[in-house]
Amino acid sequence: MRLIRYRLLSTVFLLLCSLAYVASSNAMAKSVTLVVHPADEDNGDTRFNDVKEILRMALEKTVSEFGQFTMRPSTQHTNGLRYLNNLANGGDLNVVWSSTTIEKERNYLPIRIPLRKGILGYRIVLIRKEMQASLNNVKTLEDLKKFTVGQGVGWDDSKLYSTNGIEVVEAKYSSLFRMLSYHRFDLFPRGIGEIFTEFEKNHATNPDLAIEEKLLIYYPWPYYFFVSKNDPQLQKRIETGLRKMIKDGSFDAIFWKYNGKAIESVNFKKRRLIQIQNHLLPKETPLQDESLWFKPKMN
């Protein structure tokens, strides 16, 4: 009887140890989330430093609920269209950032918090210096249709401009500044958080370029994180982190850190606003939540 009891206790002990090992192994497996984001398209490309900082902080703020994480760039340096394909086809990426469209929200899981508070929808135009005089008379969308615009390969803006009757020339992002200088197109619309840094970076090699002085183009253009439809847990984690950041003010702190100087430089009150309709915008876009959006004072 004592032997039987001993064997029974030993069996129960081994079973409990096995269960503990399995539970520990599962906990360890879930404790570290690997987050792979797009690599920079070109070396020295700083366009997405703010987005990467937001992503890292959102992950940091959710460690207690979701466990530790490792965050690194993809091994592929490519453009927006291809890294979306990478996400869809099971490549090494599991989170991307992109402007939203009806099609994207059908194919991926969006996190509907605009990463730059919608600031990308406010566009100032990079031009050749001699064009300023002809642009002084542009007041409407019809006036704007007389000019061609340059856009990066795979940018959704290309569809938006084309839908609104504006001719588009597409090329690799880093080539667009030189192409504008060589008269390949007329206007290069850039977000107000982008244009001043890009002008400083490219002016020395393209000295005839200038920042247009009178116009401000606007279309609602939220920029989101997207994850695979097979990864709702990562979607939940990132959204939870972003909501925490909005609540504690750290989201706005990053926004103003990267965009404050540019916003001061725009001089909104001296610009004419031309609004363009965004036919690509999903109906689920949270346009009514004013806490998510930047709105300039035009008057």
PDB file of all heavy atoms in Angstrom, residues 246-266:
ATOM      1  N   ILE A 246      -2.138  58.761 -25.894  1.00  0.00           N
ATOM      2  CA  ILE A 246      -3.031  59.901 -26.070  1.00  0.00           C
ATOM      3  C   ILE A 246      -3.497  60.408 -24.712  1.00  0.00           C
ATOM      4  O   ILE A 246      -3.532  61.621 -24.452  1.00  0.00           O
ATOM      5  CB  ILE A 246      -4.228  59.511 -26.955  1.00  0.00           C
ATOM      6  CG1 ILE A 246      -3.763  59.261 -28.397  1.00  0.00           C
ATOM      7  CG2 ILE A 246      -5.303  60.605 -26.940  1.00  0.00           C
ATOM      8  CD1 ILE A 246      -4.814  58.649 -29.291  1.00  0.00           C
ATOM      9  N   LYS A 247      -3.803  59.474 -23.832  1.00  0.00           N
ATOM     10  CA  LYS A 247      -4.324  59.843 -22.512  1.00  0.00           C
ATOM     11  C   LYS A 247      -3.273  60.533 -21.649  1.00  0.00           C
ATOM     12  O   LYS A 247      -3.580  61.513 -20.943  1.00  0.00           O
ATOM     13  CB  LYS A 247      -4.851  58.594 -21.800  1.00  0.00           C
ATOM     14  CG  LYS A 247      -5.552  58.883 -20.487  1.00  0.00           C
ATOM     15  CD  LYS A 247      -6.162  57.617 -19.901  1.00  0.00           C
ATOM     16  CE  LYS A 247      -6.898  57.928 -18.601  1.00  0.00           C
ATOM     17  NZ  LYS A 247      -7.531  56.701 -18.035  1.00  0.00           N
ATOM     18  N   ASP A 248      -2.013  60.046 -21.698  1.00  0.00           N
ATOM     19  CA  ASP A 248      -0.995  60.637 -20.814  1.00  0.00           C
ATOM     20  C   ASP A 248      -0.203  61.778 -21.462  1.00  0.00           C
ATOM     21  O   ASP A 248       0.694  62.354 -20.846  1.00  0.00           O
ATOM     22  CB  ASP A 248      -0.044  59.559 -20.277  1.00  0.00           C
ATOM     23  CG  ASP A 248       0.842  58.925 -21.353  1.00  0.00           C
ATOM     24  OD1 ASP A 248       1.011  59.509 -22.435  1.00  0.00           O
ATOM     25  OD2 ASP A 248       1.363  57.807 -21.101  1.00  0.00           O
ATOM     26  N   GLY A 249      -0.533  62.095 -22.737  1.00  0.00           N
ATOM     27  CA  GLY A 249       0.106  63.235 -23.395  1.00  0.00           C
ATOM     28  C   GLY A 249       1.376  62.924 -24.150  1.00  0.00           C
ATOM     29  O   GLY A 249       1.921  63.796 -24.843  1.00  0.00           O
ATOM     30  N   SER A 250       1.873  61.697 -24.065  1.00  0.00           N
ATOM     31  CA  SER A 250       3.128  61.367 -24.740  1.00  0.00           C
ATOM     32  C   SER A 250       2.978  61.316 -26.252  1.00  0.00           C
ATOM     33  O   SER A 250       3.940  61.558 -26.990  1.00  0.00           O
ATOM     34  CB  SER A 250       3.693  60.045 -24.211  1.00  0.00           C
ATOM     35  OG  SER A 250       2.750  58.995 -24.307  1.00  0.00           O
ATOM     36  N   PHE A 251       1.776  61.019 -26.726  1.00  0.00           N
ATOM     37  CA  PHE A 251       1.535  61.011 -28.180  1.00  0.00           C
ATOM     38  C   PHE A 251       1.698  62.428 -28.738  1.00  0.00           C
ATOM     39  O   PHE A 251       2.403  62.648 -29.722  1.00  0.00           O
ATOM     40  CB  PHE A 251       0.137  60.467 -28.468  1.00  0.00           C
ATOM     41  CG  PHE A 251      -0.148  60.230 -29.929  1.00  0.00           C
ATOM     42  CD1 PHE A 251       0.069  58.987 -30.491  1.00  0.00           C
ATOM     43  CD2 PHE A 251      -0.628  61.245 -30.745  1.00  0.00           C
ATOM     44  CE1 PHE A 251      -0.194  58.756 -31.841  1.00  0.00           C
ATOM     45  CE2 PHE A 251      -0.889  61.027 -32.090  1.00  0.00           C
ATOM     46  CZ  PHE A 251      -0.663  59.774 -32.640  1.00  0.00           C
ATOM     47  N   ASP A 252       1.042  63.384 -28.098  1.00  0.00           N
ATOM     48  CA  ASP A 252       1.158  64.776 -28.536  1.00  0.00           C
ATOM     49  C   ASP A 252       2.582  65.295 -28.374  1.00  0.00           C
ATOM     50  O   ASP A 252       3.045  66.117 -29.181  1.00  0.00           O
ATOM     51  CB  ASP A 252       0.198  65.660 -27.751  1.00  0.00           C
ATOM     52  CG  ASP A 252      -1.200  65.707 -28.376  1.00  0.00           C
ATOM     53  OD1 ASP A 252      -1.414  65.007 -29.393  1.00  0.00           O
ATOM     54  OD2 ASP A 252      -2.064  66.432 -27.865  1.00  0.00           O
ATOM     55  N   ALA A 253       3.288  64.831 -27.356  1.00  0.00           N
ATOM     56  CA  ALA A 253       4.667  65.284 -27.145  1.00  0.00           C
ATOM     57  C   ALA A 253       5.555  64.894 -28.329  1.00  0.00           C
ATOM     58  O   ALA A 253       6.370  65.692 -28.793  1.00  0.00           O
ATOM     59  CB  ALA A 253       5.216  64.689 -25.847  1.00  0.00           C
ATOM     60  N   ILE A 254       5.376  63.672 -28.829  1.00  0.00           N
ATOM     61  CA  ILE A 254       6.150  63.246 -29.995  1.00  0.00           C
ATOM     62  C   ILE A 254       5.717  64.034 -31.231  1.00  0.00           C
ATOM     63  O   ILE A 254       6.551  64.450 -32.051  1.00  0.00           O
ATOM     64  CB  ILE A 254       5.990  61.729 -30.223  1.00  0.00           C
ATOM     65  CG1 ILE A 254       6.624  60.954 -29.068  1.00  0.00           C
ATOM     66  CG2 ILE A 254       6.618  61.303 -31.557  1.00  0.00           C
ATOM     67  CD1 ILE A 254       6.423  59.449 -29.141  1.00  0.00           C
ATOM     68  N   PHE A 255       4.413  64.261 -31.382  1.00  0.00           N
ATOM     69  CA  PHE A 255       3.914  65.025 -32.520  1.00  0.00           C
ATOM     70  C   PHE A 255       4.565  66.408 -32.583  1.00  0.00           C
ATOM     71  O   PHE A 255       5.073  66.826 -33.625  1.00  0.00           O
ATOM     72  CB  PHE A 255       2.395  65.161 -32.432  1.00  0.00           C
ATOM     73  CG  PHE A 255       1.807  66.095 -33.464  1.00  0.00           C
ATOM     74  CD1 PHE A 255       1.628  65.675 -34.774  1.00  0.00           C
ATOM     75  CD2 PHE A 255       1.450  67.393 -33.122  1.00  0.00           C
ATOM     76  CE1 PHE A 255       1.100  66.533 -35.729  1.00  0.00           C
ATOM     77  CE2 PHE A 255       0.922  68.257 -34.071  1.00  0.00           C
ATOM     78  CZ  PHE A 255       0.741  67.820 -35.370  1.00  0.00           C
ATOM     79  N   TRP A 256       4.565  67.121 -31.468  1.00  0.00           N
ATOM     80  CA  TRP A 256       5.123  68.479 -31.464  1.00  0.00           C
ATOM     81  C   TRP A 256       6.641  68.458 -31.538  1.00  0.00           C
ATOM     82  O   TRP A 256       7.250  69.369 -32.113  1.00  0.00           O
ATOM     83  CB  TRP A 256       4.634  69.246 -30.243  1.00  0.00           C
ATOM     84  CG  TRP A 256       3.186  69.624 -30.360  1.00  0.00           C
ATOM     85  CD1 TRP A 256       2.130  69.060 -29.717  1.00  0.00           C
ATOM     86  CD2 TRP A 256       2.642  70.616 -31.243  1.00  0.00           C
ATOM     87  NE1 TRP A 256       0.956  69.642 -30.130  1.00  0.00           N
ATOM     88  CE2 TRP A 256       1.235  70.599 -31.065  1.00  0.00           C
ATOM     89  CE3 TRP A 256       3.189  71.513 -32.148  1.00  0.00           C
ATOM     90  CZ2 TRP A 256       0.381  71.452 -31.760  1.00  0.00           C
ATOM     91  CZ3 TRP A 256       2.347  72.362 -32.853  1.00  0.00           C
ATOM     92  CH2 TRP A 256       0.964  72.327 -32.650  1.00  0.00           C
ATOM     93  N   LYS A 257       7.259  67.417 -31.018  1.00  0.00           N
ATOM     94  CA  LYS A 257       8.719  67.296 -31.113  1.00  0.00           C
ATOM     95  C   LYS A 257       9.170  67.271 -32.570  1.00  0.00           C
ATOM     96  O   LYS A 257      10.152  67.933 -32.946  1.00  0.00           O
ATOM     97  CB  LYS A 257       9.162  66.022 -30.399  1.00  0.00           C
ATOM     98  CG  LYS A 257      10.624  65.634 -30.616  1.00  0.00           C
ATOM     99  CD  LYS A 257      10.915  64.287 -29.965  1.00  0.00           C
ATOM    100  CE  LYS A 257      12.296  63.780 -30.309  1.00  0.00           C
ATOM    101  NZ  LYS A 257      12.579  62.443 -29.693  1.00  0.00           N
ATOM    102  N   TYR A 258       8.448  66.545 -33.395  1.00  0.00           N
ATOM    103  CA  TYR A 258       8.849  66.388 -34.794  1.00  0.00           C
ATOM    104  C   TYR A 258       8.204  67.419 -35.723  1.00  0.00           C
ATOM    105  O   TYR A 258       8.731  67.666 -36.813  1.00  0.00           O
ATOM    106  CB  TYR A 258       8.501  64.981 -35.284  1.00  0.00           C
ATOM    107  CG  TYR A 258       9.449  63.922 -34.788  1.00  0.00           C
ATOM    108  CD1 TYR A 258       9.193  63.221 -33.612  1.00  0.00           C
ATOM    109  CD2 TYR A 258      10.613  63.626 -35.483  1.00  0.00           C
ATOM    110  CE1 TYR A 258      10.059  62.250 -33.155  1.00  0.00           C
ATOM    111  CE2 TYR A 258      11.492  62.658 -35.031  1.00  0.00           C
ATOM    112  CZ  TYR A 258      11.215  61.970 -33.859  1.00  0.00           C
ATOM    113  OH  TYR A 258      12.100  61.018 -33.404  1.00  0.00           O
ATOM    114  N   ASN A 259       7.091  68.001 -35.336  1.00  0.00           N
ATOM    115  CA  ASN A 259       6.347  68.858 -36.264  1.00  0.00           C
ATOM    116  C   ASN A 259       6.173  70.300 -35.815  1.00  0.00           C
ATOM    117  O   ASN A 259       5.725  71.137 -36.598  1.00  0.00           O
ATOM    118  CB  ASN A 259       4.953  68.260 -36.501  1.00  0.00           C
ATOM    119  CG  ASN A 259       5.015  66.874 -37.103  1.00  0.00           C
ATOM    120  OD1 ASN A 259       5.440  66.694 -38.241  1.00  0.00           O
ATOM    121  ND2 ASN A 259       4.597  65.874 -36.338  1.00  0.00           N
ATOM    122  N   GLY A 260       6.504  70.602 -34.566  1.00  0.00           N
ATOM    123  CA  GLY A 260       6.269  71.945 -34.039  1.00  0.00           C
ATOM    124  C   GLY A 260       6.955  73.040 -34.827  1.00  0.00           C
ATOM    125  O   GLY A 260       6.341  74.065 -35.177  1.00  0.00           O
ATOM    126  N   LYS A 261       8.229  72.851 -35.129  1.00  0.00           N
ATOM    127  CA  LYS A 261       8.984  73.871 -35.860  1.00  0.00           C
ATOM    128  C   LYS A 261       8.414  74.088 -37.260  1.00  0.00           C
ATOM    129  O   LYS A 261       8.282  75.226 -37.729  1.00  0.00           O
ATOM    130  CB  LYS A 261      10.463  73.468 -35.958  1.00  0.00           C
ATOM    131  CG  LYS A 261      11.340  74.508 -36.615  1.00  0.00           C
ATOM    132  CD  LYS A 261      12.796  74.061 -36.609  1.00  0.00           C
ATOM    133  CE  LYS A 261      13.686  75.100 -37.289  1.00  0.00           C
ATOM    134  NZ  LYS A 261      15.117  74.640 -37.310  1.00  0.00           N
ATOM    135  N   ALA A 262       8.040  72.983 -37.926  1.00  0.00           N
ATOM    136  CA  ALA A 262       7.467  73.089 -39.274  1.00  0.00           C
ATOM    137  C   ALA A 262       6.135  73.821 -39.242  1.00  0.00           C
ATOM    138  O   ALA A 262       5.851  74.670 -40.109  1.00  0.00           O
ATOM    139  CB  ALA A 262       7.294  71.697 -39.880  1.00  0.00           C
ATOM    140  N   ILE A 263       5.285  73.521 -38.256  1.00  0.00           N
ATOM    141  CA  ILE A 263       3.985  74.181 -38.151  1.00  0.00           C
ATOM    142  C   ILE A 263       4.150  75.684 -37.973  1.00  0.00           C
ATOM    143  O   ILE A 263       3.419  76.484 -38.571  1.00  0.00           O
ATOM    144  CB  ILE A 263       3.179  73.561 -36.986  1.00  0.00           C
ATOM    145  CG1 ILE A 263       2.721  72.144 -37.373  1.00  0.00           C
ATOM    146  CG2 ILE A 263       1.974  74.422 -36.617  1.00  0.00           C
ATOM    147  CD1 ILE A 263       2.113  71.354 -36.230  1.00  0.00           C
ATOM    148  N   GLU A 264       5.145  76.084 -37.181  1.00  0.00           N
ATOM    149  CA  GLU A 264       5.417  77.511 -36.997  1.00  0.00           C
ATOM    150  C   GLU A 264       5.883  78.171 -38.295  1.00  0.00           C
ATOM    151  O   GLU A 264       5.661  79.360 -38.514  1.00  0.00           O
ATOM    152  CB  GLU A 264       6.470  77.701 -35.915  1.00  0.00           C
ATOM    153  CG  GLU A 264       5.987  77.374 -34.509  1.00  0.00           C
ATOM    154  CD  GLU A 264       7.078  77.574 -33.471  1.00  0.00           C
ATOM    155  OE1 GLU A 264       8.188  78.013 -33.854  1.00  0.00           O
ATOM    156  OE2 GLU A 264       6.822  77.293 -32.288  1.00  0.00           O
ATOM    157  N   SER A 265       6.523  77.395 -39.161  1.00  0.00           N
ATOM    158  CA  SER A 265       7.097  77.948 -40.399  1.00  0.00           C
ATOM    159  C   SER A 265       6.088  78.077 -41.540  1.00  0.00           C
ATOM    160  O   SER A 265       6.366  78.751 -42.534  1.00  0.00           O
ATOM    161  CB  SER A 265       8.269  77.068 -40.869  1.00  0.00           C
ATOM    162  OG  SER A 265       9.267  76.975 -39.880  1.00  0.00           O
ATOM    163  N   VAL A 266       4.936  77.431 -41.419  1.00  0.00           N
ATOM    164  CA  VAL A 266       3.981  77.385 -42.530  1.00  0.00           C
ATOM    165  C   VAL A 266       3.363  78.736 -42.826  1.00  0.00           C
ATOM    166  O   VAL A 266       3.141  79.110 -43.976  1.00  0.00           O
ATOM    167  CB  VAL A 266       2.861  76.351 -42.237  1.00  0.00           C
ATOM    168  CG1 VAL A 266       1.764  76.427 -43.291  1.00  0.00           C
ATOM    169  CG2 VAL A 266       3.449  74.956 -42.193  1.00  0.00           C
TER     170      VAL A 266
END
